[in-house]
Amino acid sequence: MAKTNFKNIDAYHAAFPEEIRKRMTSIRNLVHQLVPGAIETISYQIPAFKLDKQFLLYYCAFAHHLSLSSPWSKAFLQSFEQELKNYHVSKAVIQFPHTEKLPLPFIRDIIQFRKQETEHFVPEKKKTISNPDKKEAITFAREINMYHSKQNKTDKAICELLAREITRVLPGAENKIWHAHPVWFLDGNPIVGYSKQKAGIRLMFWSGAGFGEEALNVIGKKFKDASIFYTDVSEIKKPAMKRWLKKSRTIQWDYKNLVKRKGKLERLK
């Protein structure tokens, strides 16, 4: 599949052999049959369906399987626990091998379940965390707070301080869970994020290798990123953090168009 800039689902289907197209069309038809109000779109360059502005379901094709994806809820995983044992399942993806007949009755049940969840969806409110230094409200996505809540006491304190400082110094930056960890974006370009690693909480700047900062000494081998690890909240130096975050506004490589440019990074001016 050479083409990656798909304008619609038809264009996506056209990039695959006929047998794979037939399998994807079966899922597409089921969605429209069971959810007449579903709207087709392309998201993350794969077919997706929305209902009442909420994402219902995604699917995508690979050489050996089809993937059906959605933010599977705990209720979903519990409801289909037995059926899911027959497939490779991750947090957001169920894989259906091309060597096996597509289980349309099961997929029908999945679509109906997601329809009910989406129809009863209640938008998550952003949680506000006070900033003890500035006595001001710092607000970021509730899903980031959920990420924090899953950490142990020490790591949670590190994550919360990082989130406050990033949001304070980069006001207006979009923040969300991206590739399973908190990330802040400027104009759609990933800037800074953190994640739990064996060595501690890793704070990563996507363009950090160009900051000229000695402390950001974990340099990526493929891209322009640089990182630092924290094992205790006392290790976070706010003046340094502020300096790095200010540099992150002016020193950026264009990661958001990396796929479009076939893996070639370009510096943003």
PDB file of all heavy atoms in Angstrom, residues 205-241:
ATOM      1  N   PHE A 205      11.331  15.652  24.545  1.00  0.00           N
ATOM      2  CA  PHE A 205      11.067  16.758  23.632  1.00  0.00           C
ATOM      3  C   PHE A 205      11.327  16.248  22.211  1.00  0.00           C
ATOM      4  O   PHE A 205      12.436  15.793  21.916  1.00  0.00           O
ATOM      5  CB  PHE A 205      11.970  17.955  23.940  1.00  0.00           C
ATOM      6  CG  PHE A 205      11.630  18.652  25.225  1.00  0.00           C
ATOM      7  CD1 PHE A 205      12.197  18.239  26.419  1.00  0.00           C
ATOM      8  CD2 PHE A 205      10.726  19.704  25.240  1.00  0.00           C
ATOM      9  CE1 PHE A 205      11.881  18.875  27.618  1.00  0.00           C
ATOM     10  CE2 PHE A 205      10.405  20.347  26.431  1.00  0.00           C
ATOM     11  CZ  PHE A 205      10.973  19.927  27.623  1.00  0.00           C
ATOM     12  N   TRP A 206      10.318  16.348  21.352  1.00  0.00           N
ATOM     13  CA  TRP A 206      10.430  15.791  20.005  1.00  0.00           C
ATOM     14  C   TRP A 206      11.597  16.405  19.222  1.00  0.00           C
ATOM     15  O   TRP A 206      12.217  15.746  18.409  1.00  0.00           O
ATOM     16  CB  TRP A 206       9.117  15.966  19.239  1.00  0.00           C
ATOM     17  CG  TRP A 206       8.259  14.759  19.274  1.00  0.00           C
ATOM     18  CD1 TRP A 206       8.042  13.855  18.265  1.00  0.00           C
ATOM     19  CD2 TRP A 206       7.491  14.272  20.380  1.00  0.00           C
ATOM     20  NE1 TRP A 206       7.203  12.847  18.681  1.00  0.00           N
ATOM     21  CE2 TRP A 206       6.849  13.079  19.969  1.00  0.00           C
ATOM     22  CE3 TRP A 206       7.292  14.724  21.680  1.00  0.00           C
ATOM     23  CZ2 TRP A 206       6.024  12.351  20.810  1.00  0.00           C
ATOM     24  CZ3 TRP A 206       6.464  14.002  22.527  1.00  0.00           C
ATOM     25  CH2 TRP A 206       5.844  12.828  22.092  1.00  0.00           C
ATOM     26  N   SER A 207      11.895  17.673  19.466  1.00  0.00           N
ATOM     27  CA  SER A 207      12.992  18.340  18.757  1.00  0.00           C
ATOM     28  C   SER A 207      14.125  18.703  19.702  1.00  0.00           C
ATOM     29  O   SER A 207      14.948  19.577  19.410  1.00  0.00           O
ATOM     30  CB  SER A 207      12.463  19.595  18.043  1.00  0.00           C
ATOM     31  OG  SER A 207      11.432  19.255  17.125  1.00  0.00           O
ATOM     32  N   GLY A 208      14.183  18.016  20.839  1.00  0.00           N
ATOM     33  CA  GLY A 208      15.116  18.372  21.907  1.00  0.00           C
ATOM     34  C   GLY A 208      16.585  18.236  21.581  1.00  0.00           C
ATOM     35  O   GLY A 208      17.430  18.851  22.236  1.00  0.00           O
ATOM     36  N   ALA A 209      16.934  17.425  20.579  1.00  0.00           N
ATOM     37  CA  ALA A 209      18.345  17.257  20.236  1.00  0.00           C
ATOM     38  C   ALA A 209      18.961  18.564  19.755  1.00  0.00           C
ATOM     39  O   ALA A 209      20.186  18.720  19.789  1.00  0.00           O
ATOM     40  CB  ALA A 209      18.501  16.178  19.164  1.00  0.00           C
ATOM     41  N   GLY A 210      18.111  19.498  19.328  1.00  0.00           N
ATOM     42  CA  GLY A 210      18.613  20.777  18.838  1.00  0.00           C
ATOM     43  C   GLY A 210      18.596  21.880  19.873  1.00  0.00           C
ATOM     44  O   GLY A 210      18.914  23.036  19.551  1.00  0.00           O
ATOM     45  N   PHE A 211      18.228  21.558  21.105  1.00  0.00           N
ATOM     46  CA  PHE A 211      18.140  22.593  22.144  1.00  0.00           C
ATOM     47  C   PHE A 211      19.507  23.005  22.699  1.00  0.00           C
ATOM     48  O   PHE A 211      19.642  24.056  23.298  1.00  0.00           O
ATOM     49  CB  PHE A 211      17.271  22.109  23.320  1.00  0.00           C
ATOM     50  CG  PHE A 211      15.816  21.962  23.005  1.00  0.00           C
ATOM     51  CD1 PHE A 211      15.324  22.178  21.726  1.00  0.00           C
ATOM     52  CD2 PHE A 211      14.914  21.596  23.998  1.00  0.00           C
ATOM     53  CE1 PHE A 211      13.971  22.032  21.439  1.00  0.00           C
ATOM     54  CE2 PHE A 211      13.559  21.460  23.731  1.00  0.00           C
ATOM     55  CZ  PHE A 211      13.087  21.670  22.449  1.00  0.00           C
ATOM     56  N   GLY A 212      20.504  22.132  22.527  1.00  0.00           N
ATOM     57  CA  GLY A 212      21.809  22.420  23.104  1.00  0.00           C
ATOM     58  C   GLY A 212      21.814  22.360  24.617  1.00  0.00           C
ATOM     59  O   GLY A 212      22.544  23.102  25.274  1.00  0.00           O
ATOM     60  N   GLU A 213      21.015  21.443  25.182  1.00  0.00           N
ATOM     61  CA  GLU A 213      20.895  21.316  26.636  1.00  0.00           C
ATOM     62  C   GLU A 213      21.566  20.021  27.095  1.00  0.00           C
ATOM     63  O   GLU A 213      21.153  18.923  26.724  1.00  0.00           O
ATOM     64  CB  GLU A 213      19.420  21.319  27.042  1.00  0.00           C
ATOM     65  CG  GLU A 213      18.704  22.631  26.780  1.00  0.00           C
ATOM     66  CD  GLU A 213      19.084  23.706  27.795  1.00  0.00           C
ATOM     67  OE1 GLU A 213      19.676  23.357  28.842  1.00  0.00           O
ATOM     68  OE2 GLU A 213      18.775  24.888  27.550  1.00  0.00           O
ATOM     69  N   GLU A 214      22.577  20.154  27.932  1.00  0.00           N
ATOM     70  CA  GLU A 214      23.351  19.001  28.382  1.00  0.00           C
ATOM     71  C   GLU A 214      22.508  17.992  29.145  1.00  0.00           C
ATOM     72  O   GLU A 214      22.730  16.781  29.052  1.00  0.00           O
ATOM     73  CB  GLU A 214      24.514  19.485  29.254  1.00  0.00           C
ATOM     74  CG  GLU A 214      25.462  18.379  29.678  1.00  0.00           C
ATOM     75  CD  GLU A 214      26.635  18.906  30.482  1.00  0.00           C
ATOM     76  OE1 GLU A 214      26.790  20.145  30.542  1.00  0.00           O
ATOM     77  OE2 GLU A 214      27.375  18.085  31.049  1.00  0.00           O
ATOM     78  N   ALA A 215      21.532  18.466  29.909  1.00  0.00           N
ATOM     79  CA  ALA A 215      20.720  17.566  30.728  1.00  0.00           C
ATOM     80  C   ALA A 215      19.812  16.672  29.880  1.00  0.00           C
ATOM     81  O   ALA A 215      19.429  15.587  30.317  1.00  0.00           O
ATOM     82  CB  ALA A 215      19.874  18.368  31.713  1.00  0.00           C
ATOM     83  N   LEU A 216      19.455  17.130  28.692  1.00  0.00           N
ATOM     84  CA  LEU A 216      18.636  16.320  27.785  1.00  0.00           C
ATOM     85  C   LEU A 216      19.576  15.410  27.001  1.00  0.00           C
ATOM     86  O   LEU A 216      19.826  15.594  25.809  1.00  0.00           O
ATOM     87  CB  LEU A 216      17.810  17.215  26.849  1.00  0.00           C
ATOM     88  CG  LEU A 216      16.786  18.126  27.524  1.00  0.00           C
ATOM     89  CD1 LEU A 216      16.137  19.046  26.502  1.00  0.00           C
ATOM     90  CD2 LEU A 216      15.718  17.303  28.242  1.00  0.00           C
ATOM     91  N   ASN A 217      20.093  14.413  27.681  1.00  0.00           N
ATOM     92  CA  ASN A 217      21.204  13.632  27.132  1.00  0.00           C
ATOM     93  C   ASN A 217      20.818  12.277  26.571  1.00  0.00           C
ATOM     94  O   ASN A 217      21.678  11.503  26.159  1.00  0.00           O
ATOM     95  CB  ASN A 217      22.301  13.460  28.185  1.00  0.00           C
ATOM     96  CG  ASN A 217      21.770  12.827  29.464  1.00  0.00           C
ATOM     97  OD1 ASN A 217      20.655  12.341  29.507  1.00  0.00           O
ATOM     98  ND2 ASN A 217      22.585  12.858  30.508  1.00  0.00           N
ATOM     99  N   VAL A 218      19.511  11.964  26.587  1.00  0.00           N
ATOM    100  CA  VAL A 218      19.066  10.709  25.979  1.00  0.00           C
ATOM    101  C   VAL A 218      18.584  11.064  24.571  1.00  0.00           C
ATOM    102  O   VAL A 218      17.465  11.540  24.374  1.00  0.00           O
ATOM    103  CB  VAL A 218      17.945  10.042  26.787  1.00  0.00           C
ATOM    104  CG1 VAL A 218      17.558   8.708  26.163  1.00  0.00           C
ATOM    105  CG2 VAL A 218      18.397   9.840  28.231  1.00  0.00           C
ATOM    106  N   ILE A 219      19.446  10.882  23.587  1.00  0.00           N
ATOM    107  CA  ILE A 219      19.173  11.330  22.229  1.00  0.00           C
ATOM    108  C   ILE A 219      18.617  10.180  21.385  1.00  0.00           C
ATOM    109  O   ILE A 219      19.155   9.075  21.398  1.00  0.00           O
ATOM    110  CB  ILE A 219      20.449  11.883  21.559  1.00  0.00           C
ATOM    111  CG1 ILE A 219      21.087  12.955  22.431  1.00  0.00           C
ATOM    112  CG2 ILE A 219      20.139  12.423  20.172  1.00  0.00           C
ATOM    113  CD1 ILE A 219      20.215  14.162  22.672  1.00  0.00           C
ATOM    114  N   GLY A 220      17.522  10.446  20.657  1.00  0.00           N
ATOM    115  CA  GLY A 220      16.949   9.434  19.777  1.00  0.00           C
ATOM    116  C   GLY A 220      17.898   9.087  18.640  1.00  0.00           C
ATOM    117  O   GLY A 220      18.655   9.933  18.161  1.00  0.00           O
ATOM    118  N   LYS A 221      17.869   7.852  18.198  1.00  0.00           N
ATOM    119  CA  LYS A 221      18.773   7.402  17.146  1.00  0.00           C
ATOM    120  C   LYS A 221      18.235   7.699  15.740  1.00  0.00           C
ATOM    121  O   LYS A 221      18.990   7.801  14.788  1.00  0.00           O
ATOM    122  CB  LYS A 221      19.014   5.896  17.281  1.00  0.00           C
ATOM    123  CG  LYS A 221      19.757   5.508  18.557  1.00  0.00           C
ATOM    124  CD  LYS A 221      19.990   4.007  18.620  1.00  0.00           C
ATOM    125  CE  LYS A 221      20.743   3.621  19.882  1.00  0.00           C
ATOM    126  NZ  LYS A 221      20.978   2.156  19.976  1.00  0.00           N
ATOM    127  N   LYS A 222      16.923   7.860  15.625  1.00  0.00           N
ATOM    128  CA  LYS A 222      16.327   8.010  14.302  1.00  0.00           C
ATOM    129  C   LYS A 222      15.848   9.425  14.035  1.00  0.00           C
ATOM    130  O   LYS A 222      15.966   9.931  12.922  1.00  0.00           O
ATOM    131  CB  LYS A 222      15.164   7.034  14.146  1.00  0.00           C
ATOM    132  CG  LYS A 222      14.580   6.978  12.742  1.00  0.00           C
ATOM    133  CD  LYS A 222      13.516   5.913  12.648  1.00  0.00           C
ATOM    134  CE  LYS A 222      12.943   5.847  11.240  1.00  0.00           C
ATOM    135  NZ  LYS A 222      11.868   4.824  11.109  1.00  0.00           N
ATOM    136  N   PHE A 223      15.309  10.094  15.064  1.00  0.00           N
ATOM    137  CA  PHE A 223      14.731  11.408  14.849  1.00  0.00           C
ATOM    138  C   PHE A 223      15.525  12.480  15.614  1.00  0.00           C
ATOM    139  O   PHE A 223      16.695  12.315  15.881  1.00  0.00           O
ATOM    140  CB  PHE A 223      13.257  11.393  15.248  1.00  0.00           C
ATOM    141  CG  PHE A 223      12.452  10.411  14.441  1.00  0.00           C
ATOM    142  CD1 PHE A 223      11.795   9.351  15.056  1.00  0.00           C
ATOM    143  CD2 PHE A 223      12.367  10.530  13.067  1.00  0.00           C
ATOM    144  CE1 PHE A 223      11.064   8.439  14.310  1.00  0.00           C
ATOM    145  CE2 PHE A 223      11.637   9.632  12.310  1.00  0.00           C
ATOM    146  CZ  PHE A 223      10.990   8.578  12.931  1.00  0.00           C
ATOM    147  N   LYS A 224      14.873  13.577  15.961  1.00  0.00           N
ATOM    148  CA  LYS A 224      15.552  14.719  16.575  1.00  0.00           C
ATOM    149  C   LYS A 224      15.179  14.883  18.051  1.00  0.00           C
ATOM    150  O   LYS A 224      15.321  15.961  18.602  1.00  0.00           O
ATOM    151  CB  LYS A 224      15.196  16.002  15.806  1.00  0.00           C
ATOM    152  CG  LYS A 224      15.449  15.925  14.300  1.00  0.00           C
ATOM    153  CD  LYS A 224      16.934  15.819  13.973  1.00  0.00           C
ATOM    154  CE  LYS A 224      17.143  15.813  12.466  1.00  0.00           C
ATOM    155  NZ  LYS A 224      18.580  15.718  12.105  1.00  0.00           N
ATOM    156  N   ASP A 225      14.721  13.820  18.677  1.00  0.00           N
ATOM    157  CA  ASP A 225      14.244  13.915  20.050  1.00  0.00           C
ATOM    158  C   ASP A 225      15.378  13.814  21.066  1.00  0.00           C
ATOM    159  O   ASP A 225      16.462  13.303  20.771  1.00  0.00           O
ATOM    160  CB  ASP A 225      13.214  12.812  20.318  1.00  0.00           C
ATOM    161  CG  ASP A 225      13.783  11.419  20.107  1.00  0.00           C
ATOM    162  OD1 ASP A 225      13.929  11.026  18.934  1.00  0.00           O
ATOM    163  OD2 ASP A 225      14.091  10.740  21.093  1.00  0.00           O
ATOM    164  N   ALA A 226      15.084  14.310  22.254  1.00  0.00           N
ATOM    165  CA  ALA A 226      16.010  14.189  23.382  1.00  0.00           C
ATOM    166  C   ALA A 226      15.192  14.103  24.659  1.00  0.00           C
ATOM    167  O   ALA A 226      14.092  14.662  24.741  1.00  0.00           O
ATOM    168  CB  ALA A 226      16.961  15.379  23.432  1.00  0.00           C
ATOM    169  N   SER A 227      15.726  13.409  25.655  1.00  0.00           N
ATOM    170  CA  SER A 227      14.944  13.109  26.857  1.00  0.00           C
ATOM    171  C   SER A 227      15.768  13.212  28.123  1.00  0.00           C
ATOM    172  O   SER A 227      17.005  13.264  28.098  1.00  0.00           O
ATOM    173  CB  SER A 227      14.378  11.679  26.761  1.00  0.00           C
ATOM    174  OG  SER A 227      13.654  11.465  25.581  1.00  0.00           O
ATOM    175  N   ILE A 228      15.043  13.203  29.229  1.00  0.00           N
ATOM    176  CA  ILE A 228      15.637  13.121  30.558  1.00  0.00           C
ATOM    177  C   ILE A 228      14.732  12.241  31.404  1.00  0.00           C
ATOM    178  O   ILE A 228      13.510  12.212  31.196  1.00  0.00           O
ATOM    179  CB  ILE A 228      15.792  14.524  31.197  1.00  0.00           C
ATOM    180  CG1 ILE A 228      16.504  14.424  32.551  1.00  0.00           C
ATOM    181  CG2 ILE A 228      14.451  15.226  31.341  1.00  0.00           C
ATOM    182  CD1 ILE A 228      16.858  15.791  33.139  1.00  0.00           C
ATOM    183  N   PHE A 229      15.311  11.484  32.344  1.00  0.00           N
ATOM    184  CA  PHE A 229      14.542  10.604  33.217  1.00  0.00           C
ATOM    185  C   PHE A 229      14.489  11.168  34.630  1.00  0.00           C
ATOM    186  O   PHE A 229      15.472  11.734  35.125  1.00  0.00           O
ATOM    187  CB  PHE A 229      15.150   9.209  33.246  1.00  0.00           C
ATOM    188  CG  PHE A 229      14.889   8.396  32.014  1.00  0.00           C
ATOM    189  CD1 PHE A 229      15.739   8.461  30.921  1.00  0.00           C
ATOM    190  CD2 PHE A 229      13.768   7.576  31.935  1.00  0.00           C
ATOM    191  CE1 PHE A 229      15.490   7.720  29.779  1.00  0.00           C
ATOM    192  CE2 PHE A 229      13.508   6.830  30.795  1.00  0.00           C
ATOM    193  CZ  PHE A 229      14.373   6.903  29.713  1.00  0.00           C
ATOM    194  N   TYR A 230      13.316  10.994  35.261  1.00  0.00           N
ATOM    195  CA  TYR A 230      13.132  11.415  36.649  1.00  0.00           C
ATOM    196  C   TYR A 230      12.664  10.225  37.485  1.00  0.00           C
ATOM    197  O   TYR A 230      11.771   9.472  37.068  1.00  0.00           O
ATOM    198  CB  TYR A 230      12.086  12.521  36.746  1.00  0.00           C
ATOM    199  CG  TYR A 230      12.457  13.804  36.044  1.00  0.00           C
ATOM    200  CD1 TYR A 230      11.760  14.216  34.910  1.00  0.00           C
ATOM    201  CD2 TYR A 230      13.488  14.605  36.507  1.00  0.00           C
ATOM    202  CE1 TYR A 230      12.088  15.403  34.251  1.00  0.00           C
ATOM    203  CE2 TYR A 230      13.826  15.791  35.863  1.00  0.00           C
ATOM    204  CZ  TYR A 230      13.118  16.180  34.735  1.00  0.00           C
ATOM    205  OH  TYR A 230      13.450  17.345  34.094  1.00  0.00           O
ATOM    206  N   THR A 231      13.264  10.086  38.667  1.00  0.00           N
ATOM    207  CA  THR A 231      12.822   9.037  39.594  1.00  0.00           C
ATOM    208  C   THR A 231      12.215   9.625  40.864  1.00  0.00           C
ATOM    209  O   THR A 231      11.679   8.897  41.692  1.00  0.00           O
ATOM    210  CB  THR A 231      13.995   8.117  39.973  1.00  0.00           C
ATOM    211  OG1 THR A 231      15.048   8.897  40.549  1.00  0.00           O
ATOM    212  CG2 THR A 231      14.521   7.388  38.737  1.00  0.00           C
ATOM    213  N   ASP A 232      12.308  10.954  41.009  1.00  0.00           N
ATOM    214  CA  ASP A 232      11.725  11.626  42.161  1.00  0.00           C
ATOM    215  C   ASP A 232      11.382  13.054  41.761  1.00  0.00           C
ATOM    216  O   ASP A 232      12.102  13.675  40.963  1.00  0.00           O
ATOM    217  CB  ASP A 232      12.693  11.628  43.348  1.00  0.00           C
ATOM    218  CG  ASP A 232      12.014  12.124  44.628  1.00  0.00           C
ATOM    219  OD1 ASP A 232      11.359  11.308  45.310  1.00  0.00           O
ATOM    220  OD2 ASP A 232      12.122  13.335  44.913  1.00  0.00           O
ATOM    221  N   VAL A 233      10.313  13.575  42.336  1.00  0.00           N
ATOM    222  CA  VAL A 233       9.856  14.913  41.970  1.00  0.00           C
ATOM    223  C   VAL A 233      10.903  15.980  42.296  1.00  0.00           C
ATOM    224  O   VAL A 233      10.964  17.035  41.634  1.00  0.00           O
ATOM    225  CB  VAL A 233       8.510  15.213  42.670  1.00  0.00           C
ATOM    226  CG1 VAL A 233       8.703  15.409  44.154  1.00  0.00           C
ATOM    227  CG2 VAL A 233       7.812  16.407  42.054  1.00  0.00           C
ATOM    228  N   SER A 234      11.746  15.722  43.269  1.00  0.00           N
ATOM    229  CA  SER A 234      12.776  16.695  43.659  1.00  0.00           C
ATOM    230  C   SER A 234      13.830  16.897  42.570  1.00  0.00           C
ATOM    231  O   SER A 234      14.580  17.882  42.587  1.00  0.00           O
ATOM    232  CB  SER A 234      13.461  16.242  44.951  1.00  0.00           C
ATOM    233  OG  SER A 234      14.140  15.013  44.755  1.00  0.00           O
ATOM    234  N   GLU A 235      13.908  15.980  41.621  1.00  0.00           N
ATOM    235  CA  GLU A 235      14.900  16.073  40.543  1.00  0.00           C
ATOM    236  C   GLU A 235      14.485  17.064  39.452  1.00  0.00           C
ATOM    237  O   GLU A 235      15.317  17.462  38.631  1.00  0.00           O
ATOM    238  CB  GLU A 235      15.120  14.689  39.923  1.00  0.00           C
ATOM    239  CG  GLU A 235      15.668  13.661  40.895  1.00  0.00           C
ATOM    240  CD  GLU A 235      15.645  12.256  40.319  1.00  0.00           C
ATOM    241  OE1 GLU A 235      15.115  12.090  39.208  1.00  0.00           O
ATOM    242  OE2 GLU A 235      16.153  11.335  40.986  1.00  0.00           O
ATOM    243  N   ILE A 236      13.223  17.473  39.446  1.00  0.00           N
ATOM    244  CA  ILE A 236      12.723  18.377  38.408  1.00  0.00           C
ATOM    245  C   ILE A 236      13.136  19.809  38.740  1.00  0.00           C
ATOM    246  O   ILE A 236      12.758  20.345  39.781  1.00  0.00           O
ATOM    247  CB  ILE A 236      11.192  18.282  38.281  1.00  0.00           C
ATOM    248  CG1 ILE A 236      10.787  16.851  37.924  1.00  0.00           C
ATOM    249  CG2 ILE A 236      10.678  19.261  37.231  1.00  0.00           C
ATOM    250  CD1 ILE A 236       9.288  16.630  37.919  1.00  0.00           C
ATOM    251  N   LYS A 237      13.917  20.401  37.878  1.00  0.00           N
ATOM    252  CA  LYS A 237      14.376  21.779  38.059  1.00  0.00           C
ATOM    253  C   LYS A 237      13.510  22.696  37.195  1.00  0.00           C
ATOM    254  O   LYS A 237      13.634  22.702  35.968  1.00  0.00           O
ATOM    255  CB  LYS A 237      15.854  21.909  37.672  1.00  0.00           C
ATOM    256  CG  LYS A 237      16.772  20.887  38.339  1.00  0.00           C
ATOM    257  CD  LYS A 237      16.684  20.942  39.873  1.00  0.00           C
ATOM    258  CE  LYS A 237      17.616  19.910  40.510  1.00  0.00           C
ATOM    259  NZ  LYS A 237      17.462  19.875  41.982  1.00  0.00           N
ATOM    260  N   LYS A 238      12.665  23.463  37.842  1.00  0.00           N
ATOM    261  CA  LYS A 238      11.701  24.285  37.108  1.00  0.00           C
ATOM    262  C   LYS A 238      12.342  25.322  36.178  1.00  0.00           C
ATOM    263  O   LYS A 238      11.856  25.518  35.061  1.00  0.00           O
ATOM    264  CB  LYS A 238      10.737  24.962  38.090  1.00  0.00           C
ATOM    265  CG  LYS A 238       9.790  23.988  38.778  1.00  0.00           C
ATOM    266  CD  LYS A 238       8.810  24.718  39.676  1.00  0.00           C
ATOM    267  CE  LYS A 238       7.887  23.753  40.376  1.00  0.00           C
ATOM    268  NZ  LYS A 238       6.931  24.456  41.265  1.00  0.00           N
ATOM    269  N   PRO A 239      13.416  26.010  36.582  1.00  0.00           N
ATOM    270  CA  PRO A 239      14.035  26.957  35.648  1.00  0.00           C
ATOM    271  C   PRO A 239      14.498  26.281  34.362  1.00  0.00           C
ATOM    272  O   PRO A 239      14.328  26.828  33.263  1.00  0.00           O
ATOM    273  CB  PRO A 239      15.209  27.521  36.447  1.00  0.00           C
ATOM    274  CG  PRO A 239      14.793  27.373  37.877  1.00  0.00           C
ATOM    275  CD  PRO A 239      14.041  26.073  37.926  1.00  0.00           C
ATOM    276  N   ALA A 240      15.082  25.092  34.491  1.00  0.00           N
ATOM    277  CA  ALA A 240      15.536  24.358  33.310  1.00  0.00           C
ATOM    278  C   ALA A 240      14.338  23.930  32.460  1.00  0.00           C
ATOM    279  O   ALA A 240      14.360  24.055  31.229  1.00  0.00           O
ATOM    280  CB  ALA A 240      16.353  23.141  33.721  1.00  0.00           C
ATOM    281  N   MET A 241      13.298  23.420  33.119  1.00  0.00           N
ATOM    282  CA  MET A 241      12.078  23.025  32.420  1.00  0.00           C
ATOM    283  C   MET A 241      11.516  24.194  31.620  1.00  0.00           C
ATOM    284  O   MET A 241      11.142  24.054  30.448  1.00  0.00           O
ATOM    285  CB  MET A 241      11.028  22.537  33.422  1.00  0.00           C
ATOM    286  CG  MET A 241      11.114  21.075  33.765  1.00  0.00           C
ATOM    287  SD  MET A 241      10.293  20.053  32.524  1.00  0.00           S
ATOM    288  CE  MET A 241       8.589  20.577  32.769  1.00  0.00           C
TER     289      MET A 241
END
